[in-house]
Amino acid sequence: MNENVLSRAVPAKTSGWLHYFANPGRFLRFVQPILPWAAGVSLILTLAGLVWGYQFAPADWEQGDAARIMYVHVPAAWVAMSGYAMLAVCSLFSIVWRHPLADIAAEEIGPIGAGFTFVCLVSGSLWGKPMWGAYWVWDARLTSVLVLFFLYLGHIALIRAFDNKTHGYRAAAILALAGAINLPIIVYSVQWWNTLHQGNTISLAGGAKIYMTMLYPLLISTLGFYLSFLTMVCARVAAAVCERKTASALLAAAERG
Amino acid sequence: MLKPKRRRLYLVIVSGLCLSAAVGLTLAAFSSSLTYFLSPRQVAAQHPAPGMSFRLGGIVQAGTVQTTLAGQTPTTHFAVTDGRAAVPVVFTGVLPDLFREGQGVVAIGAMSGDGVFHADEVLAKHGAAYMPKDVEQSLKEAGKWDPKFGPPPPASTWNDMKVGS
């Protein structure tokens, strides 16, 4: 059965709404005009959040100015995890519905997600040294985020490792889906085990343990990071679709002679 | 006969459930080694052998911090508590800036024969509550919170409170 799954190069036709929204041509027509605006808005939001957070928000009672690293660290961490969730959803669509756009999206999410995870790890490390007294400790939260980073890197390598792209898509999708189990581990690591990393400040249950003048810049910066992530992924997917269109047009021209 | 799409969907769901179960059981089995530190209560229950290195975590008990200077190096005696048990700790060296009474700390070291934890390294574990200094001051003045005795009151009571100025 597995040979059968891997060797089928032509994606099965999908039906209904799924087909409508995931058509590469429609995706291009929808996304390309929006991209410059999305890029501008994400830049403005990110800068506004960061300037507010670093310049105008009050310092923390306990950590002073060092706590301002959260305006980078926290949005990066959220985007890193959401990006992986998106990767897992794309992989599900890739494996089950064989959707070509999901394959391309999975290929393009990887490097961006890895970048945000790297920002999260480095900013956290720079926060850890002055506050905890250590750049790195092997507690459950830090380790599980490092595992997330390696999952991204593994996915990036695996999806590009085959001469037959379809084999890479299938193999990488399995890795991405299996790795999704790490997401709840990251989120709940600070509740399940004793960690040096502090617990969740913002959770669905109970109010946000952060004063409002510090919460607003954090939310704006988060919005900016999310929008930047989506813009970069959409731009990369659009570019990849264009590349494939160009390649097939060239191929068709060559066949005509 | 199932359609291939259906079959693949079920395959993914079943594999996902199996994998979650496997990972869940593994994490549950290794739970004690995934824990970064032992609390004083766990130390009291487990009695780690003297000389065996482990991490001790908890709150610096209010009123227990005593620092003595031998030349240039300070030696600090304090107790780490989790509200139910307390372990006396001695540390020679410079403590992190955040170290204070009521601060969460993780100390790395070993018990000595006399029941004192000799720390080689002390890390500060800061809280998850962020507020400006004046909000902390007004909570303190209102008698609602003293950082010496642990985490702040429920967030909804202070995260949008008006402060004086």
Side-chain angles (χ1 to χ4, degrees):
Chain A
M1 197 213 115
N2 272 332
E3 293 82 3
N4 182 21
V5 168
L6 287 176
S7 62
R8 200 179 322 167
V10 181
K13 201 166 158 27
T14 36
S15 55
W17 60 272
L18 198 63
H19 185 57
Y20 183 87
F21 285 107
N23 172 299
R26 202 169 281 122
F27 174 82
L28 271 190
R29 282 195 296 284
F30 178 71
V31 154
Q32 276 181 326
I34 301 179
L35 272 180
W37 298 97
V41 173
S42 37
L43 195 67
I44 292 171
L45 278 178
T46 307
L47 280 179
L50 292 184
V51 170
W52 188 351
Y54 279 79
Q55 206 58 45
F56 301 106
D60 181 58
W61 71 279
E62 182 182 27
Q63 304 179 49
D65 284 330
R68 293 180 198 276
I69 299 175
M70 77 172 157
Y71 301 113
V72 169
H73 178 71
V74 174
W78 282 339
V79 170
M81 286 192 289
S82 310
Y84 197 87
M86 270 177 66
L87 185 63
V89 170
C90 287
S91 302
L92 182 69
F93 277 62
S94 161
I95 283 197
V96 177
W97 290 281
R98 294 283 150 79
H99 211 287
L101 197 62
D103 290 332
I104 299 176
E107 189 174 358
E108 302 304 333
I109 287 173
I112 312 279
F116 277 93
T117 315
F118 185 72
V119 169
C120 167
L121 287 169
V122 169
S123 60
S125 186
L126 294 177
W127 192 357
K129 184 61 187 174
M131 291 299 106
W132 297 341
Y135 284 113
W136 185 263
V137 293
W138 292 101
D139 82 350
R141 172 56 74 82
L142 278 67
T143 308
S144 55
V145 175
L146 188 66
V147 168
L148 179 75
F149 185 57
F150 289 148
L151 282 170
Y152 269 125
L153 293 187
H155 185 270
I156 292 170
L158 189 58
I159 205 166
R160 289 163 177 79
F162 293 82
D163 287 334
N164 182 338
K165 291 233 91 170
T166 313
H167 293 187
Y169 291 144
R170 300 291 169 264
I174 293 169
L175 172 70
L177 281 176
I181 191 86
N182 190 34
L183 289 180
I185 296 177
I186 295 177
V187 174
Y188 291 106
S189 54
V190 288
Q191 294 173 24
W192 290 342
W193 304 293
N194 293 334
T195 53
L196 184 61
H197 193 286
Q198 73 275 21
N200 298 327
T201 294
I202 296 169
S203 59
L204 294 178
K209 287 183 273 185
I210 177 167
Y211 193 66
M212 53 179 179
T213 51
M214 301 158 93
L215 177 65
Y216 296 149
L218 182 62
L219 292 182
I220 290 176
S221 161
T222 302
L223 214 58
F225 271 58
Y226 266 104
L227 206 57
S228 314
F229 173 80
L230 288 176
T231 309
M232 284 189 262
V233 168
C234 286
R236 284 180 66 101
V237 171
V241 171
C242 290
E243 272 174 25
R244 279 164 179 72
K245 283 190 154 188
T246 314
S248 56
L250 285 174
L251 196 66
E255 275 170 1
R256 278 199 304 275
Chain B
M1 186 60 197
L2 287 168
K3 280 162 68 184
K5 264 182 277 184
R6 252 311 123 89
R7 203 182 59 212
R8 291 195 295 261
L9 182 60
Y10 290 150
L11 192 64
V12 168
I13 293 173
V14 170
S15 320
L17 288 176
C18 292
L19 183 72
S20 315
V23 171
L25 290 172
T26 312
L27 290 182
F30 287 100
S31 205
S32 58
S33 37
L34 289 167
T35 282
Y36 189 66
F37 56 80
L38 297 179
S39 67
R41 190 159 44 99
Q42 287 165 316
V43 173
Q46 295 175 10
H47 290 292
M52 191 190 82
S53 181
F54 66 98
R55 301 189 196 90
L56 167 72
I59 301 277
V60 179
Q61 196 167 17
T64 61
V65 181
Q66 288 175 337
T67 305
T68 46
L69 264 180
Q72 285 296 309
T73 7
T75 296
T76 312
H77 290 263
F78 58 95
V80 167
T81 178
D82 55 6
R84 302 189 206 179
V87 175
V89 179
V90 59
F91 173 70
T92 302
V94 180
L95 289 159
D97 292 349
L98 288 186
F99 186 91
R100 58 170 173 78
E101 293 178 346
Q103 177 68 50
V105 289
V106 174
I108 303 156
M111 300 298 289
S112 62
D114 54 357
V116 175
F117 185 85
H118 286 259
D120 304 317
E121 194 181 350
V122 174
L123 301 174
K125 177 175 158 65
H126 62 74
Y130 302 94
M131 64 179 85
K133 190 87 190 154
D134 42 2
V135 172
E136 184 239 359
Q137 288 295 340
S138 61
L139 280 174
K140 224 190 247 174
E141 279 157 22
K144 287 182 187 153
W145 178 37
D146 189 339
K148 274 185 186 175
F149 300 106
S156 56
T157 61
W158 55 263
N159 64 9
D160 59 349
M161 74 187 281
K162 298 275 174 291
V163 255
S165 56

